[in-house]
Amino acid sequence: MKTLGRLRKALRDNQIVLLLLALALTVVTLAYYLILRGRGIDTGTVNNQILLFFLRNVNAVLITAIVFVLIRNLVKLWVERRRRRLGSKFRTKLVATYIGLSLIPVLLLFAIANQLVQGSLDTLFSSDVDSLLEPGYGVAQELTTTLEKDATDDARLVLDGLADLSLEDIEQLPELGRRLQEEMNRLQFDLVYVYQDTEFVQALLNPRSGLSSLPELTRPLLLDTLRDGRTARVLEVPGRDELLILAALAGDPDDGARRAIVVVGNVLGAEAASQSTVLVQAYQQQRQIEVLEPEIRAIYLLGFLTVTLVLLLICTWIGLYLARRVTGPIQDLAEGTRRIMGGDLDYRVADAADDELGVLVHSFNRMTSELQRNKLLLEARNEELRLSNETLDSERQWIDTVLQNVAAGVVSTDFEGTVLTCNPSAARMLGTSPRELIGEPLAASMRQSALANVFAELLSIRDAAHRQVRVIVGGEWKTFDVSSAPLAEDRGARRTGWVVVLEDLTELIRAQKLATWTEAARRIAHEIKNPLTPIKLSAERLLRRYREDDPSFADILQRGVEIIVREVGNMKAMVDEFSRFARMPRPQPSVIDLGALLGDTVRLYRDIKPGVEVEFEVDPPGECPAALDPEQFRGVLVNLLDNAVDATEPPGKVSVRAARHNGSVRIEVADNGCGIPVESREKLFLPYYSTKGRGSGLGLAIVHRIVTDHYGSIRVEANEPRGSIFTIDLPQG
Amino acid sequence: MLHRHALRIALRATGALVAALLLAVSLLAAQIEESAEAEIVDLTLVRQAGVLQADFRLANALDEELMARIESGLPTTLTFQARLERPRRWWFDRGLGRSELQVIAMYNAVTREYLVNYKQDGSLIDSRVVQSREALVRAMTMIDDMSLASFEAPGDADPVVRVRAALGSKNWLGIVPTTVHTPWSTIALSEARAVPPSDPESRPSTLL
C-alpha cells in the first residue's frame, strides 16, 4: 500500500508536466488538422497526415521525456557521486541494471515486431500482388477498349450510311430515323446519337439496352470529337451498376459546313461491369497503397516506436523509481547514521514500505530511541554520580579532617594487613610517621612486640574485636585500646581490609585510677574514721573515769577495751580485704567449656531463695569453648548471681545466658529485681562503692578487674520491663 | 534540502519548457517554406470589366511521383496562393489582400477520366473532367483568370501581386511537417493590362 501511495505521489508530482504536454500535443494536432482541412485536402489524406503528425510528435515527446528523465537522474547521480553521498554508487549500479534490463528486451521486441510488420508490408507491396492484379486490370481495360473499338466501328458504319442525307433538312429526319433503326438492328448497338456540330439532331435507344432514357451527352465530348475527329468515353450509368461505352465519330470537315457527329453506345451489363469495376478498383487501390507505402510504413514504424517508447519510458521510470525506492531508505539510513554519529539522537528516518527495508528502518529508529533513552539515563546516572562524588568528596574531606584532628589513631589496611592509611594520631601513638607506616605490614612494622602481637591477633579474627595493650612509647608506659573492624564490599560478602582504631587510654586510666584512689581514700578514711570515733570516745572516757577514780572504772575499762578491740578488728578486716583486692593474681587462662562452668555455678543458686527462679541457657546449645581462668571466673559468676538473687523479690527470675557473638563470647546475667539507678551505674564497678549499705563495696570492682584481665568488658543496663542485666563480652580465642 | 528542491523544480521546468518549445516549433514549422524546382512562370495581370485577374503557369511541378499519386485515385491538391502586398521589404505588415486557389485532381480508373475541381477561398468555383494526362497537366498548372476581385489597392503605394504554389508536405527532421512551396513570383499591380470582356462560351465550364 505504501509503494502504491508513493507511486501515486510520484505521478502526481509530474502531473502538471504530463498535463501540459498532453494539452500542448492536443492543441498542436488540432491546429495542424485545421490547417490541413483549410487547404481542402481530402479526409483520407488529412487523417493520414494527422495520424503521422500525432505519432511523430508523441514519439518526440516520449523521446524528450526519456532523455529528460535519464539526464535528470544521471545528473543527480553524478552530483551525488561528486559529493560522495553514501549509497550513490549502489544507486548507480541499480539504475544501470534497471535501464539495461528494460532497454534490451524492449528494443529487442521492437526490432523483432518491426521486422515482422515490415516483412508483411513487403509482401503487401511486392510485385507478386501486382502480377496478380495487373492481368485483371488489363482484361478490364481490354474489354472497354474492345467495346470502344466496336462502338467506333459501328459509328463509322452509321456515319457512312448517313453520308447522302442532309441533316439540316428537317424532311429527311424520318429517313434518318429509319436508317438509324436499321443500323441498330443490324449492328446490335444499344443507342445512337446524331449531332450537327454540337446541335442535337436525333437519337435512338435500343429497348434491349435496359436503359429507360437516353443519357445527355456533354458538350466537351462533342467539342473533343470535333477537335480530334473521334473520341470515346466510358460512363457510369447513374443509379445502376452498368457502364455505358460511347464512341463518337465526326464526319469529314467541309468548307464552312457543319460536321455530322455520330455517337454510338453500348451498355456493358451489370455483371460484367461490376467485375470490370472490381478489377480496376483493386488495381487502383494497389496503386494507392504503393503511393502511400512510405506513409503506411511510417505509420506502422511510428506506432511500434510509440509503444516501444511508452514501454521504455514506463520501464525507465519504474526502474528509476525502484532504484530510488531501494536506495532512498539506505541513503536516509546513512544520513541517520551520520547524524547520530554527530550526536543528534532526535533524528528519525522516515518510514519506508512494509518490506525488509521498512523493518530495517523501523529497527534503526528503535535503536536510535533506545540510544536516546540510554543516553538520557546515562546522563541522569552521571549527574547522580557527580553529586555522589561531590558528596563523597565532601565526606572524604570531612573524614580526612576528622582523622587528621581526631585524638584516636586510625589505621586502615588491606586484607593482607598492609597499611593503606594512617592518621597523625595513630603515627604518634605508634611512635612512627605515616610515611614510614603506609605500605608496610602493620604487625611486622611494630617495634613493640606487644603491639605486634595484638595487631596480628586482631587481624586474624574475622569479626570486629578489641584489645587493650600496655607498651612503652617514648620512654613511658602507654595503655591503648585497640579495636579492629573488617572493611567489606558487596554488602559484606567480600572482605577487603581492616580498619584499626587505637585509643590512648593512658590519661583516662590515670584519671580513673586517681579518681578510684581518691574515692578509695575517701572511703578508707570514712571507714577508718568510723571505728576511730568509738575508739577515741572509749579512750577519753577511760581517761576521764580514771581521773575521777570512778569505782566502776573496771567495768568501764572492760567495755572500753572491748569496743576498742572490736573496732580495731573491724579495721584489720577492712585492711585485709583491701590487701586481698590489691594482691589479686594475674589470670591463668585455659580453654574450658564455659557452658559447663555456668551450669555448675547456677546449679548452686537454684533453691537458694524460694520464689526466685534461676534459669540457664547456652546459645547455640552444646559446648561453648572460651579461654579464661575458671577459678576467677567462677568468682565473677558467684558475685553477679549473689547480687541478682539478692535484688530479686519472689516471685522473680534470674536468667543466665551464654552465647557466641561476632567472634566473642557473651555472658548475660539478668534479673527482674529492683534494678539499679542510672546515676549509680557509672560508679558500680568502683572499689568500695555499694548500694546495699553493707559489704566492702569491692565485689563488682573485683568482677570488673577479672573481666578486664581477660581482655573483656562488662556493662550494666536496665532490664525490661524491670531489673538489671549485666553483659560480659570476652574474646573467644 | 532547499537546494535539492530547487534543483528538482528547475529540472522539471526545463523539461516542460523543452517539450513545449518542441511542439510550438512543430506547429510553426508547418508553415516553413522549402524551395522546389517547380516555379510560377508567365505571371500576368489583367483587368477585365474592372475585375483583377491573374494568369500564370506552374512549371516543373507534376513529376512522375505526383502523376503516380494522381493516377492511383488519391485526391491530389495544388494550392496557389496569391497576395497583394506593399512593396516594402522589411515592413512588418505588408499584406493588403490574399486569395487561395486549390486545384484538386482525382482519377477515375473505370471511366479513365480525371476530375479537376477548383476551389477559391473555400468555395467551389469550377469543375472539369479531362481524359488525358496532357489535359490534366494543363488543367492543373495553367491558371487563367484567377479572380483577385477582393484585392483592394490603397492609393498611396504601388502594391505588388505575389503568387506561389504549395505542392505538398514533407517532414522536417522527420517529425515537423513542412509545406513545399515554389518561390514567390511577383508582378506589380500597375502592370495589369485591361482587356475586354470575353465570351462566356469560350471559358471551360462544368461538364454536366
Side-chain angles (χ1 to χ4, degrees):
Chain A
M1 287 303 288
K2 283 187 178 176
T3 305
L4 280 174
R6 286 172 188 274
L7 192 59
R8 284 198 197 100
K9 184 177 182 303
L11 288 173
R12 197 165 54 243
D13 288 345
N14 296 289
Q15 209 171 29
I16 295 175
V17 176
L18 291 172
L19 278 175
L20 280 176
L21 287 175
L23 187 65
L25 187 59
T26 306
V27 168
V28 169
T29 305
L30 189 62
Y32 188 54
Y33 174 79
L34 293 175
I35 289 172
L36 290 181
R37 293 296 293 174
R39 288 178 185 167
I41 301 174
D42 64 287
T43 306
T45 305
V46 169
N47 290 342
N48 282 345
Q49 292 285 336
I50 288 297
L51 183 59
L52 278 172
F53 177 81
F54 181 76
L55 287 175
R56 282 178 177 132
N57 282 285
V58 164
N59 285 331
V61 169
L62 287 172
I63 289 170
T64 306
I66 291 171
V67 170
F68 167 69
V69 169
L70 283 177
I71 288 178
R72 176 173 177 252
N73 284 278
L74 289 176
V75 166
K76 285 170 74 176
L77 277 176
W78 180 73
V79 170
E80 287 180 359
R81 291 195 68 152
R82 280 283 300 258
R83 291 178 180 171
R84 298 180 182 280
R85 188 172 177 189
L86 280 175
S88 60
K89 289 184 178 177
F90 180 53
R91 190 170 173 181
T92 306
K93 290 177 184 173
L94 271 180
V95 168
T97 305
Y98 280 134
I99 292 176
L101 284 176
S102 59
L103 264 178
I104 292 169
V106 169
L107 291 181
L108 199 61
L109 188 67
F110 168 72
I112 292 171
N114 187 52
Q115 196 65 30
L116 288 173
V117 171
Q118 294 300 331
S120 302
L121 290 176
D122 288 342
T123 305
L124 182 64
F125 299 129
S126 68
S127 56
D128 295 342
V129 178
D130 285 347
S131 64
L132 289 174
L133 293 175
E134 275 181 0
Y137 178 71
V139 168
Q141 292 296 310
E142 185 61 31
L143 174 64
T144 53
T145 303
T146 303
L147 291 173
E148 284 176 2
K149 186 174 179 299
D150 291 344
T152 303
D153 291 344
D154 291 346
R156 170 63 62 191
L157 291 173
V158 172
L159 186 62
D160 290 344
L162 301 179
D164 58 336
L165 290 178
S166 174
L167 299 181
E168 295 177 351
D169 186 359
I170 196 167
E171 292 180 353
Q172 291 187 353
L173 286 180
E175 179 60 21
L176 175 62
R178 188 187 61 79
R179 289 188 184 183
L180 290 177
Q181 186 63 55
E182 282 180 3
E183 290 297 329
M184 181 178 286
N185 293 337
R186 186 172 65 90
L187 298 174
Q188 294 297 309
F189 50 77
D190 291 328
L191 50 87
V192 62
Y193 298 84
V194 178
Y195 281 82
Q196 187 79 19
D197 280 351
T198 57
E199 185 180 344
F200 178 76
V201 178
Q202 195 162 18
L204 201 61
L205 176 64
N206 191 339
R208 289 188 302 108
S209 66
L211 298 176
S212 57
S213 62
L214 280 167
E216 185 181 356
L217 296 185
T218 58
R219 181 180 173 84
L221 170 66
L222 301 173
L223 292 175
D224 288 347
T225 306
L226 288 173
R227 186 186 65 227
D228 300 332
R230 64 171 67 186
T231 188
R233 292 282 192 277
V234 178
L235 300 179
E236 293 170 336
V237 179
R240 301 178 65 167
D241 293 335
E242 295 156 338
L243 291 176
L244 181 60
I245 314 297
L246 295 177
L249 200 63
D252 294 333
D254 295 329
D255 292 337
R258 293 196 294 180
R259 299 167 64 188
I261 295 176
V262 173
V263 180
V264 172
N266 285 309
V267 175
L268 183 62
E271 187 176 354
S274 295
Q275 289 175 351
S276 175
T277 301
V278 167
L279 287 172
V280 171
Q281 285 178 344
Y283 179 77
Q284 200 168 19
Q285 282 177 358
Q286 181 62 20
R287 294 279 77 78
Q288 289 179 5
I289 289 172
E290 286 174 0
V291 168
L292 295 175
E293 178 182 349
E295 290 182 11
I296 293 171
R297 285 186 184 275
I299 287 172
Y300 277 102
L301 180 68
L302 289 174
F304 276 111
L305 190 60
T306 302
V307 174
T308 303
L309 289 173
V310 166
L311 284 176
L312 201 58
L313 180 62
I314 292 172
C315 290
T316 305
W317 209 330
I318 290 176
L320 292 169
Y321 171 77
L322 287 178
R324 190 167 62 243
R325 182 80 186 84
V326 171
T327 58
I330 292 175
Q331 287 179 330
D332 289 346
L333 282 173
E335 174 68 13
T337 309
R338 192 182 65 75
R339 296 278 292 271
I340 287 169
M341 279 173 61
D344 182 9
L345 292 178
D346 292 326
Y347 184 82
R348 295 288 182 279
V349 179
D351 281 344
D354 298 329
D355 53 11
E356 286 76 6
L357 279 172
V359 173
L360 186 62
V361 168
H362 181 66
S363 302
F364 180 86
N365 286 336
R366 204 169 54 185
M367 180 195 74
T368 308
S369 299
E370 280 294 313
L371 278 175
Q372 191 175 31
R373 197 175 65 81
N374 288 336
K375 184 190 174 191
L376 292 174
L377 209 58
L378 205 59
E379 285 175 351
R381 292 282 164 81
N382 278 340
E383 182 62 19
E384 286 178 10
L385 202 59
R386 190 183 64 77
L387 293 172
S388 177
N389 280 337
E390 284 182 357
T391 307
L392 283 175
D393 278 346
S394 174
E395 287 179 354
R396 188 172 54 78
Q397 286 178 2
W398 182 81
I399 289 171
D400 278 349
T401 305
V402 169
L403 286 176
Q404 291 293 322
N405 297 286
V406 73
V410 180
V411 178
S412 66
T413 71
D414 61 11
F415 192 71
E416 303 298 328
T418 304
V419 176
L420 300 175
T421 63
C422 172
N423 73 338
S425 297
R428 191 173 60 252
M429 290 177 192
L430 299 175
T432 181
S433 67
R435 188 178 300 172
E436 291 177 357
L437 206 55
I438 291 172
E440 299 295 330
L442 179 60
S445 61
M446 292 296 105
R447 298 190 191 95
Q448 302 283 339
S449 61
L451 267 177
N453 291 337
V454 168
F455 285 144
E457 182 190 356
L458 288 175
L459 298 186
S460 66
I461 300 172
R462 294 178 59 85
D463 296 321
H466 73 94
R467 298 285 186 273
Q468 276 190 2
V469 63
R470 277 176 63 79
V471 291
I472 298 174
V473 177
E476 60 175 321
W477 281 96
K478 295 280 186 182
T479 302
F480 295 137
D481 183 86
V482 184
S483 303
S484 69
L487 293 172
E489 286 184 353
D490 298 339
R491 298 181 178 178
R494 191 166 64 90
R495 301 284 168 83
T496 58
W498 303 88
V499 59
V500 179
V501 179
L502 293 95
E503 198 170 355
D504 189 354
L505 301 179
T506 307
E507 292 301 322
L508 180 63
I509 289 173
R510 188 174 294 159
Q512 280 183 344
K513 279 184 177 177
L514 183 60
T516 303
W517 281 113
T518 302
E519 180 66 18
R522 189 185 64 78
R523 292 293 303 270
I524 289 170
H526 177 74
E527 291 298 329
I528 290 173
K529 198 167 66 177
N530 284 343
L532 282 180
T533 301
I535 290 172
K536 182 187 174 185
L537 290 174
S538 294
E540 286 175 351
R541 184 182 177 195
L542 284 174
L543 182 58
R544 189 173 62 250
R545 293 295 182 183
Y546 174 72
R547 285 176 180 168
E548 291 176 355
D549 197 13
D550 190 340
S552 57
F553 179 73
D555 294 334
I556 293 170
L557 178 63
Q558 186 177 354
R559 287 201 301 270
V561 170
E562 286 176 357
I563 290 169
I564 290 169
V565 169
R566 189 183 71 233
E567 292 302 326
V568 169
N570 287 339
M571 287 178 66
K572 186 176 181 299
M574 184 185 65
V575 170
D576 287 344
E577 189 77 14
F578 181 75
S579 297
R580 192 165 60 85
F581 174 70
R583 285 200 312 270
M584 184 170 289
R586 298 288 297 173
Q588 300 297 320
S590 61
V591 177
I592 63 163
D593 183 5
L594 182 60
L597 177 65
L598 291 174
D600 291 344
T601 308
V602 166
R603 204 170 296 121
L604 298 174
Y605 289 87
R606 284 273 163 84
D607 301 318
I608 200 168
K609 190 172 185 178
V612 175
E613 186 183 355
V614 181
E615 292 178 346
F616 162 64
E617 179 192 7
V618 176
D619 183 22
E623 284 195 354
C624 181
L628 46 82
D629 187 327
E631 290 305 319
Q632 287 189 358
F633 236 81
R634 191 186 303 278
V636 168
L637 294 173
V638 166
N639 198 302
L640 293 176
L641 283 170
D642 272 345
N643 288 339
V645 171
D646 192 37
T648 304
E649 293 300 326
K653 186 171 75 174
V654 174
S655 59
V656 179
R657 182 172 176 270
R660 289 187 288 272
H661 177 71
N662 288 339
S664 63
V665 176
R666 172 167 289 180
I667 302 166
E668 292 175 348
V669 178
D671 63 70
N672 54 3
C674 58
I676 300 169
V678 175
E679 61 273 12
S680 299
R681 288 177 195 167
E682 291 181 1
K683 303 172 184 177
L684 206 58
F685 298 106
L686 294 178
Y688 303 106
Y689 181 82
S690 175
T691 59
K692 296 187 291 187
R694 53 184 172 82
S696 64
L698 287 173
L700 288 177
I702 292 169
V703 166
H704 183 264
R705 174 74 178 273
I706 291 170
V707 170
T708 306
D709 286 348
H710 282 79
Y711 304 105
S713 64
I714 183 169
R715 64 180 184 276
V716 60
E717 295 163 317
N719 195 15
E720 295 297 334
R722 61 193 297 265
S724 301
I725 179 168
F726 285 80
T727 304
I728 299 171
D729 286 318
L730 292 171
Q732 193 171 17
Chain B
M1 203 65 186
L2 187 64
H3 173 73
R4 194 175 165 186
H5 187 60
L7 180 66
R8 186 183 297 171
I9 290 174
L11 284 170
R12 278 189 188 152
T14 306
L17 190 63
V18 166
L21 282 175
L22 193 65
L23 290 168
V25 165
S26 67
L27 177 62
L28 293 173
Q31 302 299 318
I32 288 177
E33 293 182 5
E34 282 203 357
S35 61
E37 291 181 358
E39 59 181 343
I40 299 291
V41 296
D42 302 336
L43 173 62
T44 58
L45 295 176
V46 297
R47 199 176 292 279
Q48 193 172 42
V51 176
L52 186 65
Q53 295 175 338
D55 296 340
F56 52 86
R57 184 168 63 87
L58 173 64
N60 305 322
L62 295 184
D63 53 11
E64 283 303 315
E65 186 181 350
L66 200 59
M67 286 306 298
R69 177 183 170 87
I70 293 170
E71 290 181 352
S72 73
L74 291 171
T76 304
T77 303
L78 293 178
T79 304
F80 297 97
Q81 299 168 341
R83 293 183 184 174
L84 180 66
E85 294 180 348
R86 290 188 177 91
R88 297 172 190 171
R89 187 171 182 182
W90 302 110
W91 188 245
F92 73 98
D93 182 21
R94 293 186 296 169
L96 297 171
R98 61 170 57 195
S99 183
E100 196 170 83
L101 176 67
Q102 292 173 336
V103 181
I104 306 156
M106 199 158 56
Y107 179 62
N108 187 337
V110 175
T111 60
R112 289 175 294 176
E113 292 172 341
Y114 300 91
L115 172 64
V116 182
N117 290 326
Y118 298 86
K119 291 169 73 175
Q120 187 165 16
D121 298 329
S123 302
L124 182 66
I125 58 170
D126 197 2
S127 188
R128 302 180 195 173
V129 175
V130 296
Q131 271 68 41
S132 65
R133 275 191 172 198
E134 293 74 19
L136 173 71
V137 170
R138 280 198 304 275
M140 292 188 75
T141 61
M142 296 185 69
I143 306 299
D144 295 329
D145 305 336
M146 177 179 174
S147 173
L148 302 178
S150 61
F151 286 12
E152 292 181 2
D156 57 343
D158 182 17
V160 294
V161 173
R162 307 174 73 199
V163 177
R164 72 174 180 181
L167 306 176
S169 64
K170 287 184 178 178
N171 288 290
W172 180 60
L173 296 177
I175 55 170
V176 184
T178 58
T179 305
V180 180
H181 291 97
T182 64
W184 287 103
S185 183
T186 307
I187 186 171
L189 185 61
S190 58
E191 294 181 25
R193 56 188 174 82
V195 295
S198 61
D199 180 8
E201 290 295 318
S202 65
R203 187 169 177 271
S205 60
T206 53
L207 299 178
L208 293 173

